[in-house]
Amino acid sequence: MHGYNLAEAQWATVGENDTWMMVPRAVVYLKPTVKTNGKNEEGAWTIIDE
Amino acid sequence: MKSRKGITLIALVITIIVLLILTGITINLTIGEHGILTMAKESGKNYQNAAEYEQGAIGNFFNEAQNMIPGENGNSNSEGEGPEDPVGPWRLADKVNIGDYVAYDPTDGVTDPSKLSYTSPKGTGSSHGNGYQEKTITPTSYAKWRVLSKDTTTGEVVLMSNGAVTSNYFQIQGTIGYLYLEQELHSLCAIYGYGKGADTTKTFTYQTGGPRDILKTGTITGSGARSVTIEDINRALGYTPNPTEETWDSRYACFPTTATETGISEQTADVTLTTSKNYSYKHTDVISSDHPLHDLIFQGGMYYIASRTSYIENNRYYLGTFIQSSNYGGIIARI
């Protein structure tokens, strides 16, 4: 895993118009004040943003 | 004398034997080791295994990241605090573990629809773009969010998407795509940074240009989201790359210029990339096929494709690097 970017670049066979097929992944920063009242029915922590 | 019609005993026995043989063959073809039903069941299992493997790989990353962080082993409360409030609500950073899912919705509470859309232009040599074609990206409904890191001192929790944040591949092409890739990736990911709970006070920076260009730095403000970077991963895994230990083939793209080698600067006019221009690349003859292939990486403010496995065929590279026969575009191979 070291050195790999999870944006998972893949590329088609090299040709005159070299094309890279990206699979972008995003990172989201949450506010430090965000709270939760537990997990929902899908097992994910809820977000309370007052 | 009466004529007797009937089947002889021998014929009957032979018929029974043939029927038994045929029955055996049929049974084997359906439920035998290579039977139709058996193969169908196996195919379904293989697909399921592949899907689970992919999810497992992501899960393994989060587990590994969790183990790399000293002291962050899932304790809900910081040391020295009183008993946990059984009712809540609780500070999110005090509850989550690395890899936990968080019910973040990037569209929740967003009233300005323009924030939920990014149009990546095709671009030119002097204006950003993906080099391929204009493409508009909007948030996907199936992106799940997992905890990448947390800081129990500040309370900040950082999420990462569990998969792609585009409904299809985001395609970039040629030198233009390579030079502006950082800007395009960060910009399209920014549409995920306006949902309830996102910290929109953040400022993210990107750079455009190749290693021999005058690099330009841009900023994205007002969004709590950006593209994942290799620094995120390395930080989570506690890995510090040491590029000085490695030597690489080096080919790289830069902004097109009418100059030859020095004083590279961005052209102000649209550029048609042709073989007659010198796009300032460095060529080495070292081609080795006995090193592992690396994927696209992002380090030092630039995206690189690191490839130690490359070979030239018909003046073109395969497997992770590219150099066109006209010798523009290219990849820096570097960790």
Side-chain angles (χ1 to χ4, degrees):
Chain A
M1 186 65 76
H2 295 314
Y4 281 72
N5 185 335
L6 292 186
E8 291 178 43
Q10 303 174 26
W11 40 86
T13 302
V14 170
E16 287 294 336
N17 297 303
D18 300 303
T19 301
W20 305 343
M21 316 293 278
M22 306 295 295
V23 184
R25 292 180 193 267
V27 165
V28 177
Y29 288 74
L30 299 181
K31 297 175 192 173
T33 53
V34 163
K35 293 184 179 178
T36 181
N37 56 15
K39 292 184 179 181
N40 60 20
E41 60 278 2
E42 295 172 353
W45 295 99
T46 61
I47 287 179
I48 300 173
D49 181 23
E50 294 158 359
Chain B
M1 194 173 184
K2 252 183 172 171
S3 73
R4 293 168 115 179
K5 291 185 183 168
I7 188 168
T8 65
L9 186 59
I10 293 174
L12 183 63
V13 168
I14 292 172
T15 303
I16 291 171
I17 291 172
V18 168
L19 283 173
L20 285 171
I21 292 171
L22 288 175
T23 303
I25 293 172
T26 304
I27 290 172
N28 194 49
L29 280 176
T30 50
I31 62 176
E33 189 181 336
H34 299 290
I36 294 171
L37 294 178
T38 309
M39 300 286 275
K41 216 190 272 185
E42 239 177 79
S43 295
K45 218 191 298 180
N46 288 341
Y47 175 78
Q48 180 71 16
N49 289 343
E52 285 171 1
Y53 175 80
E54 185 176 322
Q55 280 304 105
I58 299 290
N60 286 341
F61 161 71
F62 283 109
N63 289 339
E64 198 175 331
Q66 176 75 64
N67 292 334
M68 287 290 179
I69 301 174
E72 297 291 349
N73 289 318
N75 294 328
S76 305
N77 288 337
S78 305
E79 287 184 6
E81 290 188 2
E84 179 178 295
D85 183 346
V87 178
W90 307 275
R91 194 176 66 159
L92 185 67
D94 292 330
K95 297 297 287 185
V96 296
N97 297 319
I98 306 298
D100 280 1
Y101 284 89
V102 175
Y104 173 71
D105 181 353
T107 65
D108 190 359
V110 180
T111 55
D112 180 0
S114 68
K115 291 185 183 300
L116 299 180
S117 175
Y118 174 70
T119 298
S120 173
K122 183 177 178 180
T124 66
S126 56
S127 65
H128 77 95
N130 55 60
Y132 179 60
Q133 66 182 24
E134 182 178 285
K135 184 178 176 70
T136 298
I137 296 103
T138 54
T140 62
S141 58
Y142 51 79
K144 304 287 184 195
W145 302 93
R146 301 181 72 170
V147 175
L148 177 64
S149 66
K150 65 171 185 175
D151 188 334
T152 51
T153 303
T154 64
E156 182 178 78
V157 174
V158 183
L159 309 178
M160 185 174 79
S161 62
N162 195 36
V165 291
T166 54
S167 58
N168 209 332
Y169 291 116
F170 179 67
Q171 206 160 327
I172 62 171
Q173 182 170 303
T175 301
I176 294 170
Y178 173 77
L179 295 173
Y180 291 106
L181 174 58
E182 193 173 336
Q183 179 175 352
E184 296 312 303
L185 282 181
H186 284 305
S187 296
L188 78 87
C189 287
I191 66 175
Y192 286 91
Y194 302 103
K196 185 175 76 172
D199 186 353
T200 56
T201 66
K202 287 291 185 183
T203 298
F204 305 115
T205 60
Y206 58 82
Q207 282 188 323
T208 59
R212 294 185 63 177
D213 290 308
I214 299 172
L215 299 179
K216 292 187 177 178
T217 300
T219 56
I220 294 177
T221 58
S223 167
R226 57 165 173 78
S227 171
V228 69
T229 68
I230 193 60
E231 280 80 13
D232 294 325
I233 307 306
N234 289 340
R235 190 182 310 116
L237 297 178
Y239 172 67
T240 303
N242 187 353
T244 59
E245 291 180 344
E246 310 293 340
T247 58
W248 297 88
D249 302 336
S250 58
R251 295 175 180 265
Y252 44 87
C254 63
F255 288 123
T257 176
T258 54
T260 51
E261 291 294 329
T262 60
I264 297 168
S265 60
E266 181 188 9
Q267 285 192 336
T268 55
D270 288 350
V271 174
T272 301
L273 303 180
T274 67
T275 59
S276 62
K277 291 196 184 296
N278 183 351
Y279 292 117
S280 183
Y281 65 94
K282 189 169 89 172
H283 171 72
T284 68
D285 296 323
V286 178
I287 303 298
S288 174
S289 61
D290 59 357
H291 294 289
L293 177 70
H294 287 254
D295 290 331
L296 182 73
I297 60 171
F298 177 88
Q299 186 177 5
M302 278 299 300
Y303 280 92
Y304 303 111
I305 290 181
S307 171
R308 297 199 230 178
T309 297
S310 60
Y311 63 92
I312 292 179
E313 184 175 325
N314 298 325
N315 208 30
R316 292 174 178 175
Y317 276 80
Y318 292 87
L319 295 181
T321 64
F322 73 84
I323 183 74
Q324 300 175 34
S325 57
S326 53
N327 290 334
Y328 64 87
I331 314 295
I332 272 284
R334 191 190 148 180
I335 294 180

